[in-house]
Amino acid sequence: MKNLKEDYFSPFFSHIYVEKAVLEHARTRRILAEFPSATVIEIDHYKDVFCRSRQSIRFQRRAQNLILAAKQGTLLYEGAPVCQSFGNRYFYYVSCAMNCIYDCAYCYLKGMYPSANIVVFVNLEDIFAQVRQVLEQHPLYLCVSYDTDLPALERIIGYVREWCDFAANHENLKIEIRTKCASKTFVRNTRPVSAVIYAFTLSPQAVIDAFEHHTPSLTQRLSCAAELIRAGCPVRLCFDPMIYVPDWQQHYEAMLEEVFRAIPMEKIVDVSVGTFRISQDYLKNMRRQEPESLVIWFPYQKEGGYCHYPDALMEEMECFLSGRLEEKISREKIFRWNV
Ligand code: SF4
């Protein structure tokens, strides 16, 4: 086990809240064993803690707690219009954990949830059962790492491995695991499954330094992506969200040069390109929490309940990146979210 802990950004949870109903669940016991000195507090329902009124998300980000719960009701959701379906007709996502150990200033989770604490739903078997039911009707493209970064939590919860095992045994299922994690331990412990796509979100180092707090560097992410490709895993590169910074073109050009040096582009599954966009309601919540954040207070253009960069800037940024990518991969493999 020592090896498994060596290069993850390890969260420390001083308090772990556990729904009484899942206290004896095998995954609960396994996760609690990772934190022998944490104070365990029994609760009736995760929302009693997660949805408490007047929580300070900024304060909680400095000392996140963990909540272990059972997911009830709807377990599978249709992909949102702002998300990229990559040409898949049946595009769904699941939320087997909520919130993230990283702290990206632009993360929509800050506008979506009333708390920064991390919730892990331990009843993965119920989610699997619902996925099986849907697979009886039609194929499924399923994103399992949207409301969190699953690989970053892998040392603690092991859900990537569980999804890989599940996907390997179910036809017509394609899974995307979106991540900024760059753990070599994760890579070493990952077995290639043709239906599981590892989607690395990439940003220029200047953007990472300014806005993607606690995340691995661009170089580290690329190194892990390259290693997964060598191991035979399907890998996708996500230049999404592109974030505006002064001299953005210079920064994105430098990033691409590093990408092209590190990654055999002919071996990647595809790429996504998209500038930052977010639901108007989430942005409003985020502005209440972050009165000074440049990325949150950009004068975005509002359209149909969403905020995005002004059309001209959005077009310029996305066309620049897509154009440069087209020099390396075919146009059919480049997905722009608004096209
Ligand atoms: S890595 Fe993704 S999920 Fe995690 S804080 Fe950043 S944007 Fe949010």
Side-chain angles (χ1 to χ4, degrees):
M1 276 313 271
K2 199 160 180 263
N3 266 354
L4 276 177
K5 299 187 178 183
E6 69 192 18
D7 68 343
Y8 281 97
F9 170 73
S10 283
F12 169 76
F13 300 114
S14 63
H15 292 75
I16 303 181
Y17 297 88
V18 185
E19 282 185 356
K20 287 175 189 151
V22 300
L23 262 173
E24 296 306 319
H25 194 290
R27 290 191 190 91
T28 302
R29 296 169 75 96
R30 197 180 70 212
I31 295 167
L32 288 179
E34 288 286 330
F35 302 96
S37 58
T39 304
V40 176
I41 302 164
E42 294 180 25
I43 54 175
D44 289 322
H45 197 280
Y46 80 90
K47 288 186 180 172
D48 297 344
V49 178
F50 195 69
C51 300
R52 269 180 199 152
S53 56
R54 293 193 296 279
Q55 299 189 77
S56 165
I57 292 187
R58 283 180 88 170
F59 175 76
Q60 284 180 350
R61 287 226 63 89
R62 293 198 290 271
Q64 285 174 300
N65 290 316
L66 179 64
I67 303 170
L68 304 179
K71 178 103 175 146
Q72 315 280 359
T74 307
L75 307 180
L76 238 68
Y77 306 91
E78 279 193 48
V82 283
C83 298
Q84 178 58 260
S85 69
F86 294 91
N88 293 283
R89 180 164 171 209
Y90 299 104
F91 164 36
Y92 286 74
Y93 74 98
V94 291
S95 185
C96 39
M98 302 195 295
N99 277 329
C100 183
I101 61 168
Y102 300 138
D103 185 16
C104 301
Y106 55 75
C107 182
Y108 71 96
L109 298 177
K110 291 177 177 173
M112 188 160 93
Y113 297 140
S115 165
N117 289 327
I118 293 179
V119 181
V120 172
F121 295 110
V122 296
N123 58 329
L124 205 48
E125 63 281 0
D126 294 331
I127 298 179
F128 288 157
Q130 210 167 96
V131 172
R132 267 189 218 102
Q133 273 175 18
V134 176
L135 282 172
E136 281 169 17
Q137 319 294 319
H138 54 68
L140 199 52
Y141 168 64
L142 190 64
C143 294
V144 301
S145 186
Y146 264 9
D147 296 341
T148 187
D149 189 310
L150 272 192
L153 288 171
E154 186 65 4
R155 179 183 72 76
I156 304 165
I157 65 176
Y159 281 14
V160 173
R161 185 183 46 74
E162 294 210 50
W163 275 112
C164 283
D165 293 346
F166 183 81
N169 290 310
H170 290 83
E171 283 179 14
N172 292 331
L173 174 64
K174 194 165 30 167
I175 283 180
E176 189 217 65
I177 297 178
R178 184 76 57 112
T179 190
K180 290 183 179 129
C181 178
S183 161
K184 296 279 182 178
T185 311
F186 171 77
V187 172
R188 272 200 300 278
N189 289 286
T190 298
R191 71 169 173 128
V193 174
S194 60
V196 178
I197 301 169
Y198 294 91
F200 284 85
T201 304
L202 302 177
S203 302
Q205 192 56 47
V207 170
I208 296 172
D209 292 341
F211 302 120
E212 298 179 357
H213 313 306
H214 309 313
T215 63
S217 67
L218 172 64
T219 309
Q220 289 171 314
R221 293 181 209 177
L222 290 173
S223 165
C224 278
E227 231 169 282
L228 285 174
I229 292 170
R230 276 196 293 278
C233 296
V235 166
R236 162 177 293 152
L237 302 181
C238 301
F239 303 99
D240 183 2
M242 291 181 76
I243 302 290
Y244 172 81
V245 285
D247 300 323
W248 63 267
Q249 191 162 335
Q250 210 175 300
H251 291 299
Y252 276 91
E253 177 63 42
M255 174 198 70
L256 281 180
E257 282 167 20
E258 190 171 345
V259 170
F260 296 155
R261 276 197 303 273
I263 303 290
M265 294 298 284
E266 70 285 357
K267 294 202 173 144
I268 59 167
V269 176
D270 50 28
V271 302
S272 71
V273 174
T275 43
F276 178 70
R277 67 275 180 194
I278 190 165
S279 132
Q280 213 172 306
D281 293 338
Y282 295 169
L283 187 65
K284 206 191 292 174
N285 294 339
M286 290 159 81
R287 284 182 168 169
R288 268 200 296 269
Q289 296 161 33
E290 302 285 346
E292 285 154 19
S293 167
L294 290 177
V295 72
I296 298 306
W297 282 94
F298 187 94
Y300 293 106
Q301 183 176 315
K302 292 176 190 164
E303 198 172 333
Y306 291 94
C307 293
H308 56 75
Y309 291 122
D311 287 337
L313 178 61
M314 186 168 74
E315 191 66 14
E316 192 187 353
M317 290 175 74
E318 294 181 8
C319 282
F320 165 75
L321 206 75
S322 308
R324 288 286 282 112
L325 286 165
E326 271 179 42
E327 295 166 19
K328 298 286 178 185
I329 53 170
S330 62
R331 189 177 286 188
E332 306 77 65
K333 286 188 168 187
I334 302 172
F335 290 86
R336 270 181 71 184
W337 76 275
N338 56 342
V339 174

